[in-house]
């Protein structure tokens, strides 16, 4: 498509950096900023970051916005049918306890307040493939903002912005806060009892060992600027108490009117505790507004794309949504002990295996990453045993990126090195509205093309 200029803009950016001899001073300034900012981290630890951002033009942004919001509507429709149709629910193969929690009412209409839709996007053709949805605890909001800010401190960025003064960035954390507020004020019990109808005490709930502390502190600071008291809450500290004739959800610091649930439902069941029970009770009884409730879980699992690949959605989605699924969702199948695995063994390069449970981009196992077919066979057997998914492997768009820091354990001299990355873009949705991009990529290491991962900032150049 002739109106897609993102790759040309990225090449221009790289050219400016080359003219500056790699802009070592800019990389150092960016690294110093990140060292003092909210840490760029994820559940797996500290990934590398790229000093060169992903750059989108207006046409590309329009494609991605439409893709994200269409997929958001699909998630809402699928979740609504999950809630109303037990035969449709069975397609997700959820354990009984998980399914029961997924049916707990929330007290507000929006089914999926937060989502991140991961896509493989070809910057030259505009084609894209949806590879998963993170709705139960989507990551990447603060990391993408901070890496973008770091890139903007470099001389390379300054010169690029002189040529393109219309450059823009995303306020992803602002989108989170707007969605929290919008969801809370729509909650049926927002103005009952002692709750403040607009500024409740907010608890961001997770297990400390799994918490994305940098994102939490960023959100807490921004809420404080708006006069809302928020805090991180260890789920193990939650309990229900009665005061003044009202039962309420509390922790050691006091009552909580609004819960931003970042703890995964699966982890709650893996690590049972009194606090998890209290959170479930609060959701069931309407004692606190639990943002997302537990309804977000089904469409955040690897079963989602298998359900979308089946004929079960033909009377769930409208004509345009079905066309979207057929064009942009890779064929995916849930495996069982009775599944015939020989087609996937015969052509390993065509397939990715994913474990059961929550979608995570980095947990896919590519068949051609195993030189020994027996090893791939064992992966398939394990996937079938636990009820995982097998997915057609879409091709990822590759582009150059300059490392601002090497991966953990790598030679520090790799900072400033240009690597070719396979791109994946996370499209943030806040109450169904597109709110930003979490750009990252995988590059070659000792164990294949995604041995190392890097986070990239994101710029939009309007034209």
């Amino acid at each position: 498509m002739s109106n897609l200029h993102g790759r040309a803009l990225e090449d221009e950016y790289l050219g400016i950096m080359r003219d500056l001899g790699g802009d070592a001073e800019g990389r150092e300034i960016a690294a110093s900023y990140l060292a003092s900012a909210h840490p760029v981290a994820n559940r797996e630890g500290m990934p590398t970051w790229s000093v060169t951002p992903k750059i989108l033009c207006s046409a590309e942004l329009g494609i991605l916005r439409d893709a994200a919001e269409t997929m958001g509507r699909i998630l809402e429709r699928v979740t609504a049918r999950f809630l109303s149709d037990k035969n449709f629910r069975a397609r997700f193969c959820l354990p009984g306890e998980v399914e029961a929690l997924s049916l707990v009412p929330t007290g507000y209409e929006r089914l999926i307040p937060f989502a991140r839709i991961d896509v493989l996007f070809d910057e030259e053709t505009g084609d894209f493939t949806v590879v998963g949805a993170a709705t139960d605890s989507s990551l990447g909001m603060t990391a993408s903002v901070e890496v973008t800010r770091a890139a903007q401190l470099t001389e390379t960025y300054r010169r690029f912005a002189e040529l393109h003064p219309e450059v823009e960035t995303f306020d992803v954390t602002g989108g989170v806060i707007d969605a929290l507020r919008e969801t809370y004020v729509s909650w049926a019990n927002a103005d009952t009892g002692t709750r403040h109808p607009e500024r409740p005490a907010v608890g961001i709930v997770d297990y400390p060992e799994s918490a994305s502390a940098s994102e939490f502190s960023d959100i807490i600071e921004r809420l404080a600027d708006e006069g809302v008291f928020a805090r991180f809450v260890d789920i193990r500290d939650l309990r229900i108490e009665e005061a003044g004739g009202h039962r309420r959800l509390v922790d050691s610091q006091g009552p909580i009117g609004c819960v931003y649930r970042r703890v995964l439902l699966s982890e709650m069941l893996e690590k049972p505790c009194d606090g998890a029970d209290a959170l479930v009770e609060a959701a069931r009884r309407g004692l606190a507004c639990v943002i997302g409730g537990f309804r977000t879980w089904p469409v955040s699992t690897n079963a989602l794309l298998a359900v979308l690949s089946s004929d079960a959605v033909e009377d769930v989605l409208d004509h345009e949504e079905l066309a979207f699924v057929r064009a942009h969702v890779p064929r995916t199948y849930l495996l069982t002990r009775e599944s015939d695995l020989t087609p996937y063994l015969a052509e390993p390069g065509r397939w990715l295996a994913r474990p059961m449970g929550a979608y995570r981009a980095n947990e896919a196992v590519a068949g051609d990453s195993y030189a020994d077919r027996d090893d791939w066979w064992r992966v398939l057997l394990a996937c079938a045993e636990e009820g995982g998914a097998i997915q057609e492997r879409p091709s990822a768009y590759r582009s150059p990126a300059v490392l601002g820091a090497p991966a953990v354990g790598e030679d520090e001299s790799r900072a400033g090195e240009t690597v070719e990355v396979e791109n994946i873009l996370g499209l943030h949705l806040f109450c169904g509205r597109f709110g930003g991009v979490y750009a990252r990529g995988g590059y070659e290491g000792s164990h294949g093309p995604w041995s190392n991962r890097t986070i990239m900032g994101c710029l939009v150049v309007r034209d």
Side-chain angles (χ1 to χ4, degrees):
M1 297 177 66
S2 59
N3 60 343
L4 301 183
H5 310 305
R7 180 58 188 268
L9 291 167
E10 290 172 8
D11 289 342
E12 178 185 338
Y13 197 100
L14 285 162
I16 294 171
M17 182 169 282
R18 282 194 296 269
D19 291 343
L20 290 169
D23 197 1
E25 183 177 353
R27 292 199 318 272
E28 185 175 340
I29 292 170
S32 295
Y33 169 77
L34 287 175
S36 62
H38 297 102
V40 178
N42 56 24
R43 286 192 180 96
E44 289 74 39
M46 188 77 70
T48 185
W49 54 275
S50 298
V51 72
T52 49
K54 183 58 54 185
I55 304 177
L56 305 172
C57 69
S58 297
E60 292 164 325
L61 186 64
I63 292 170
L64 295 172
R65 176 185 289 109
D66 288 346
E69 294 185 353
T70 299
M71 192 64 189
R73 291 191 295 273
I74 289 170
L75 296 182
E76 288 275 327
R77 286 183 184 268
V78 168
T79 302
R81 179 60 65 90
F82 176 93
L83 295 172
S84 65
D85 185 340
K86 66 178 182 180
N87 292 325
F88 188 76
R89 282 199 294 276
R91 294 269 185 168
F92 287 82
C93 301
L94 298 179
E97 185 177 5
V98 174
E99 182 177 298
L101 286 174
S102 299
L103 298 176
V104 173
T106 60
Y108 48 81
E109 185 174 349
R110 170 67 60 178
L111 297 174
I112 311 291
F114 300 99
R116 193 193 74 231
I117 311 301
D118 279 354
V119 300
L120 303 181
F121 179 66
D122 189 318
E123 298 171 34
E124 297 178 48
T125 67
D127 293 334
F128 62 90
T129 301
V130 176
V131 294
T135 60
D136 207 58
S137 181
S138 56
L139 299 172
M141 293 171 282
T142 295
S144 58
V145 170
E146 295 290 29
V147 174
T148 301
R149 289 173 177 167
Q152 290 179 292
L153 297 174
T154 65
E155 178 64 16
T156 302
Y157 172 82
R158 188 189 69 78
R159 296 191 183 188
F160 180 82
E162 284 182 348
L163 298 171
H164 304 280
E166 65 281 7
V167 68
E168 300 174 4
T169 60
F170 296 106
D171 180 13
V172 185
T173 306
V176 175
I177 291 170
D178 289 345
L180 283 170
R181 181 188 299 107
E182 181 177 333
T183 306
Y184 179 77
V185 299
S186 70
W187 182 48
N189 295 336
D191 58 356
T192 62
T194 60
R195 302 179 190 89
H196 194 289
E198 296 177 353
R199 294 192 299 277
V202 176
I204 305 178
V205 175
D206 205 345
Y207 289 92
E209 62 269 26
S210 303
S212 303
S214 59
E215 286 196 347
F216 296 175
S217 60
D218 188 16
I219 294 167
I220 289 167
E221 290 167 14
R222 289 283 294 271
L223 283 170
D225 291 341
E226 300 189 14
V228 176
F229 174 63
R231 61 187 183 273
F232 170 71
V233 176
D234 182 342
I235 190 172
R236 298 181 179 94
D237 288 343
L238 290 174
R239 66 184 187 278
I240 306 294
E241 72 170 22
E242 186 169 333
H246 296 283
R247 299 179 74 223
R248 56 188 187 176
L249 182 69
V250 303
D251 71 346
S252 58
Q253 296 187 51
I256 299 167
C258 177
V259 171
Y260 178 20
R261 182 177 67 83
R262 288 293 297 260
V263 56
L264 289 169
L265 180 54
S266 58
E267 191 171 9
M268 287 175 58
L269 299 177
E270 291 164 4
K271 302 175 181 178
C273 61
D274 291 342
D277 294 341
L279 180 59
V280 171
E281 178 71 4
R284 289 187 189 278
R285 306 301 178 191
L287 305 181
C289 178
V290 181
I291 305 291
F294 304 110
R295 295 179 168 187
T296 59
W297 181 254
V299 295
S300 72
T301 68
N302 286 319
L304 170 67
L305 299 191
V307 173
L308 292 178
S309 296
S310 73
D311 58 5
V313 294
E314 291 184 358
D315 67 342
V316 176
L317 308 180
D318 65 25
H319 177 73
E320 290 185 0
E321 291 161 348
L322 278 173
F324 177 93
V325 167
R326 302 307 179 228
H328 301 294
V329 171
R331 299 296 295 179
T332 306
Y333 309 94
L334 292 181
L335 297 180
T336 68
R337 295 174 182 175
E338 289 73 40
S339 298
D340 180 8
L341 304 179
T342 53
Y344 317 122
L345 182 67
E347 297 182 272
R350 286 188 55 200
W351 302 101
L352 296 172
R354 292 187 178 277
M356 69 176 299
Y359 160 76
R360 292 190 178 96
N362 63 305
E363 288 188 344
V365 178
D368 59 3
S369 64
Y370 291 94
D372 189 331
R373 284 165 61 92
D374 287 344
D375 290 338
W376 174 234
W377 177 245
R378 281 188 282 271
V379 170
L380 291 173
L381 287 174
C383 199
E385 179 69 24
E386 70 163 16
I390 192 80
Q391 181 182 89
E392 282 186 331
R393 183 180 183 179
S395 59
Y397 184 78
R398 302 174 74 93
S399 64
V402 178
L403 300 180
V408 174
E410 283 192 346
D411 184 351
E412 292 292 329
S413 66
R414 294 198 70 177
E417 179 182 345
T418 301
V419 296
E420 187 176 60
V421 300
E422 294 188 355
N423 292 266
I424 184 168
L425 302 183
L427 312 179
H428 288 292
L429 283 171
F430 304 114
C431 289
R433 299 181 297 273
F434 174 68
V437 175
Y438 176 35
R440 63 260 199 233
Y443 62 97
E444 193 74 33
S446 57
H447 299 290
W450 268 83
S451 296
N452 299 316
R453 289 172 294 142
T454 186
I455 294 175
M456 296 173 274
C458 187
L459 306 176
V460 176
V461 175
R462 298 287 184 178
D463 49 18

